[in-house]
């Protein structure tokens, strides 16, 4: 992996207690970013990731909250703004997965996959945009699925595919709306 200097940048990786999220948090810290390690319930794993991140990024922060909940998500972003005054990179790494036929999928399982993959992106993006607008800079990285844009039907992964197609749609519309907002702001400044 190419070395990118992220010194001075603050990054939040949702779901960074373990697995892919933990790997991303550690990689960002190694690149010089101040990393906010996030978890919902995996406290022990999050603390372990946080200790590794702190070796590279002393100012890093550990936060707990449910990013599928608007109020809890808001608290996380207020804490980040209060602590650092900025957030340069948001990596939406939260997203549960199940593998079972639709006719065997419980409503609670379906809801969990949709909320963890789709609602989390909606709420975190909604909360970070005002801060990034104020900074006039920022990056949001959302994880989708390579097939999401084609809306395939795949046995045993339907809720996940629905959620990831939603993530793709949300990503596109937020990008379009923000581009328009920036153009409008530039026009107003020119006048």
């Amino acid at each position: 992996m190419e070395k990118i200097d992220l010194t001075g940048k603050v990054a939040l990786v949702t779901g960074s207690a373990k697995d892919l999220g933990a790997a991303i948090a550690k990689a960002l810290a190694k690149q010089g970013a101040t990393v906010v390690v996030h978890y919902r319930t995996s406290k022990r794993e999050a603390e372990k990731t946080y200790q590794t991140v702190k070796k590279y990024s002393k100012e890093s922060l550990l936060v707990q909250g449910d990013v599928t909940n608007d109020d809890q998500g808001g608290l996380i972003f207020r804490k980040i703004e209060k602590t650092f005054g900025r957030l340069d990179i948001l990596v939406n790494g939260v997203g549960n997965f199940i593998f079972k036929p639709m006719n065997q999928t419980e409503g609670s399982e379906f809801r969990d996959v949709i909320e963890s993959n789709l609602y989390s992106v909606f709420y975190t993006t909604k909360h970070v945009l005002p801060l990034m607008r104020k900074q006039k800079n920022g990056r949001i990285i959302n994880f989708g699925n390579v097939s999401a844009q084609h809306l395939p039907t795949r046995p045993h992964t339907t809720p996940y595919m629905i959620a990831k197609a939603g993530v793709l749609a949300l990503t596109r519309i937020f990008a379009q709306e923000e581009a328009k907002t920036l153009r409008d702001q530039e026009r107003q400044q020119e006048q």
Side-chain angles (χ1 to χ4, degrees):
M1 180 166 82
E2 182 182 330
K3 176 86 168 131
I4 301 169
D5 185 10
L6 296 176
T7 303
K9 303 292 185 191
V10 177
L12 166 63
V13 182
T14 66
S16 50
K18 54 189 177 179
D19 302 326
L20 180 60
I24 292 169
K26 293 170 189 175
L28 288 169
K30 288 177 184 178
Q31 302 277 357
T34 298
V35 178
V36 179
V37 175
H38 163 262
Y39 73 99
R40 184 183 69 173
T41 58
S42 302
K43 184 176 183 178
R44 182 174 299 168
E45 293 93 337
E47 288 172 343
K48 189 175 174 183
T49 299
Y50 179 63
Q51 291 307 315
T52 302
V53 164
K54 291 273 293 182
K55 291 177 187 175
Y56 303 98
S57 175
K58 304 281 185 235
E59 303 299 317
S60 289
L61 181 67
L62 179 64
V63 296
Q64 188 276 332
D66 182 355
V67 292
T68 69
N69 177 292
D70 193 16
D71 293 334
Q72 288 187 40
L75 290 172
I76 291 167
F77 283 91
R78 285 192 291 281
K79 183 172 186 173
I80 291 168
E81 185 171 14
K82 183 178 180 184
T83 303
F84 302 111
R86 65 182 305 110
L87 185 62
D88 302 286
I89 303 164
L90 167 61
V91 179
N92 279 309
V94 167
N96 295 335
F97 178 83
I98 59 170
F99 186 82
K100 63 176 16 179
M102 274 306 289
N103 64 2
Q104 294 175 18
T105 301
E106 299 294 328
S108 60
E109 294 170 318
F110 185 84
R111 184 179 313 108
D112 177 63
V113 171
I114 297 296
E115 288 179 357
S116 66
N117 284 280
L118 186 56
Y119 284 33
S120 64
V121 169
F122 173 70
Y123 290 133
T124 58
T125 302
K126 185 180 100 167
H127 288 294
V128 80
L129 283 175
L131 185 55
M132 289 183 172
R133 284 184 200 128
K134 189 167 72 173
Q135 298 166 188
K136 298 184 180 184
N137 194 352
R139 302 287 184 268
I140 301 171
I141 301 163
N142 297 325
F143 286 92
N145 178 287
V146 72
S147 302
Q149 64 187 349
H150 304 294
L151 292 174
T153 56
R154 293 199 177 178
H156 309 295
T157 63
T158 303
Y160 183 75
M161 294 306 297
I162 291 168
K164 290 306 184 181
V167 168
L168 178 62
L170 270 178
T171 301
R172 286 178 175 169
I173 196 66
F174 273 125
Q176 289 170 357
E177 288 178 356
E178 283 308 299
K180 182 182 180 320
T181 299
L182 288 173
R183 283 192 304 271
D184 292 348
Q185 288 173 350
E186 288 172 359
R187 283 189 201 116
Q188 288 175 352
Q189 290 175 353
E190 289 172 0
Q191 294 175 359

